[in-house]
Amino acid sequence: MKIAAFFVCGYLADTIIYSNDLGGLLGTMLAFFVYILLFYKGTIMEKISLLLVFYPALIAVNYLMLDTGGRLFKLAVQASYAETMQDPKLMLISTAFHTVSLLLRLLFWILAWLILRKFLSKLPSHLNVRTWLIIDMLMLASFVAIFTIIYFMPEDTAIVYPICGAAIFSSFGCMYLASYIYDSMQTAQRLRYMESQQAYYRQRVADEERIRSIYHDMKNHLLVLESSQETAAARQMAKELRAQIADYEDYIHTGNDFLDIIIRDKAEKAREKHIDFSAAIDISSADFIEPLDISTLFGNGIDNAMEASEKLPQEQRVIAVKAGRVNDFISILIENNCVEGQAADKTGKHRTTKADSFLHGFGITNMEKTAEKYGGTCTTRQEDGRFTLKILLPVIKKS
């Protein structure tokens, strides 16, 4: 199907469009819509939108290239159509001009794809019906204008050129608009998610402080009870209770109260999922990192590791988190076992296996952006069933 789509796309890119050519205009529109129906996986709304977005540019580019080639040929040879048909040499020159115009069209579309591919990758399946309707309404004017101007305007009228240019600009502008809307929606969703996550951890910090205060008093009371003259059974019970409290109080101290709660929360979830979780963290010198960014770097990284671990047998579920200062850098290392080929797709892009890719497909992307915010780097590596996430942040000394 991909091979067939490639060759049909090449044919459509070189469709010949003349002035007052209703058959060519309608035929190209029908062929292009059939092409979208056959080769594009999306809703009918998306398919109609793609027709409205790309058809004006397709018609405008093809018409401009063909008409410009014809005008240049006439200027070069100073001969009429009848004279050209009777002279083999002029026919050869005409064929050369026509061939060059076809090649230029193909080169234009290749260049357009190279420039717009990062926008095109965001178009499918991420925008709702209302957003597509807005884009469709914007493109409808360009769609009608390019169709009308080429069909009704007389030949050899230069006014068609700016209309064609405007149609191309509108088509590419709508691609950028759709990409911008997608990015804005995703950014807003990320911000809401991270703010709710931050609020959750702040509440946990407050709860932890209150509970630790209560446990501290309980430990002292149990020490008194254990050393009292009560029965051996009571002393043994007090000893066991104090041991349980000690386990609670001996949780990992990272040098950052906010991160303490995150690690404790993730460790509890790891135990529930039967994941061997270990952490050796000291970021006491990383006070320049904002709490929301700490949540992004550690929370997303550990969540991704747990998601990968859940796909493995219990005996292979291992996550190790290491973080600390190395010279003038804060180093964060998260390692976990994973199923081969699950961490990234064939292009090296990070992807999620969750059903809602719009909400959950930006974990590592968020970490990369956060690392860049501090002038650092975020790199990943998968090798021999082991996935490694490494973040390096230069230490920022507060004045």
Side-chain angles (χ1 to χ4, degrees):
M1 291 292 285
K2 288 184 178 180
I3 294 173
F6 176 80
F7 283 106
V8 175
C9 184
Y11 172 77
L12 287 171
D14 275 339
T15 302
I16 298 173
I17 303 295
Y18 296 106
S19 297
N20 315 122
D21 181 15
L22 182 62
L25 291 169
L26 290 176
T28 302
M29 182 176 67
L30 180 61
F32 184 55
F33 190 55
V34 171
Y35 174 81
I36 294 173
L37 290 175
L38 291 176
F39 296 111
Y40 178 73
K41 295 180 180 179
T43 65
I44 189 64
M45 173 61 74
E46 291 171 359
K47 292 178 179 181
I48 293 173
S49 298
L50 289 179
L51 176 67
L52 292 173
V53 168
F54 284 100
Y55 177 74
L58 175 67
I59 295 299
V61 170
N62 288 9
Y63 176 82
L64 282 177
M65 293 293 184
L66 183 66
D67 192 69
T68 303
R71 289 175 185 270
L72 291 175
F73 172 75
K74 288 181 181 180
L75 288 174
V77 302
Q78 297 293 324
S80 65
Y81 177 77
E83 292 172 337
T84 301
M85 295 300 293
Q86 294 173 1
D87 189 335
K89 184 179 179 180
L90 293 179
M91 282 289 293
L92 183 61
I93 296 174
S94 175
T95 302
F97 270 88
H98 181 71
T99 302
V100 170
S101 71
L102 294 180
L103 289 175
L104 287 176
R105 268 182 270 177
L106 286 175
L107 289 175
F108 174 86
W109 287 114
I110 291 172
L111 181 63
W113 178 78
L114 291 174
I115 295 173
L116 297 171
R117 59 181 174 176
K118 68 177 181 179
F119 302 128
L120 294 173
S121 64
K122 299 174 183 178
L123 289 179
S125 304
H126 291 306
L127 303 180
N128 55 36
V129 174
R130 184 177 299 177
T131 306
W132 280 119
L133 283 174
I134 294 172
I135 294 172
D136 291 348
M137 286 187 288
L138 291 174
M139 282 307 304
L140 189 59
S142 178
F143 184 92
V144 173
I146 194 67
F147 191 97
T148 305
I149 198 74
I150 292 179
Y151 178 64
F152 288 104
M153 287 297 290
E155 294 186 18
D156 300 324
T157 304
I159 191 64
V160 178
Y161 280 55
I163 301 296
C164 289
I168 297 170
F169 180 81
S170 296
S171 292
F172 292 173
C174 275
M175 295 178 215
Y176 172 77
L177 176 62
S179 173
Y180 177 79
I181 292 173
Y182 166 76
D183 283 338
S184 299
M185 292 171 62
Q186 197 180 46
T187 300
Q189 184 64 44
R190 282 200 301 262
L191 185 60
R192 284 194 295 270
Y193 171 75
M194 288 189 291
E195 285 177 346
S196 64
Q197 192 177 49
Q198 185 183 32
Y200 166 74
Y201 284 127
R202 287 192 182 282
Q203 183 61 44
R204 287 294 302 270
V205 168
D207 291 343
E208 287 285 330
E209 288 297 326
R210 180 173 56 84
I211 294 171
R212 286 172 65 185
S213 176
I214 294 172
Y215 275 27
H216 178 75
D217 291 340
M218 287 180 62
K219 184 181 70 174
N220 292 333
H221 296 329
L222 288 170
L223 281 171
V224 173
L225 181 61
E226 190 178 343
S227 60
S228 67
Q229 300 299 318
E230 298 292 336
T231 63
R235 289 196 299 272
Q236 180 62 28
M237 183 181 298
K239 185 177 181 180
E240 291 175 358
L241 288 172
R242 189 164 61 83
Q244 293 177 11
I245 293 174
D247 289 340
Y248 179 86
E249 291 185 330
D250 289 340
Y251 68 87
I252 298 168
H253 294 274
T254 66
N256 182 285
D257 292 340
F258 194 70
L259 182 56
D260 288 349
I261 302 302
I262 293 176
I263 296 300
R264 180 170 177 80
D265 188 65
K266 300 304 180 186
E268 289 177 358
K269 291 180 179 178
R271 282 195 295 271
E272 294 172 1
K273 299 175 185 294
H274 305 286
I275 298 173
D276 183 1
F277 181 88
S278 63
I281 302 171
D282 180 6
I283 62 165
S284 53
S285 57
D287 55 346
F288 60 91
I289 305 178
E290 297 176 7
L292 188 60
D293 295 328
I294 287 176
S295 174
T296 299
L297 295 173
F298 285 92
N300 285 328
I302 297 172
D303 283 344
N304 288 346
M306 285 200 287
E307 182 184 349
S309 297
E310 287 183 275
K311 300 180 176 67
L312 297 169
Q314 287 189 19
E315 64 274 9
Q316 297 180 22
R317 299 179 182 180
V318 178
I319 298 175
V321 182
K322 301 175 184 177
R325 179 166 179 167
V326 180
N327 296 325
D328 292 330
F329 290 88
I330 298 297
S331 172
I332 302 171
L333 187 70
I334 302 176
E335 295 181 304
N336 60 276
N337 293 333
C338 65
V339 178
E340 284 289 346
Q342 290 269 330
D345 62 20
K346 294 180 181 179
T347 63
K349 298 292 184 182
H350 309 295
R351 59 184 174 87
T352 181
T353 56
K354 295 177 181 176
D356 191 349
S357 61
F358 179 77
L359 292 180
H360 298 285
F362 43 71
I364 293 181
T365 301
N366 272 357
M367 287 184 277
E368 290 172 340
K369 290 181 178 179
T370 302
E372 290 172 2
K373 171 182 174 181
Y374 294 95
T377 59
C378 174
T379 58
T380 60
R381 184 182 65 192
Q382 181 181 344
E383 188 176 23
D384 299 328
R386 188 81 172 166
F387 186 78
T388 303
L389 169 72
K390 186 172 184 180
I391 299 168
L392 280 178
L393 305 176
V395 174
I396 300 175
K397 298 179 180 179
K398 294 187 175 180
S399 56

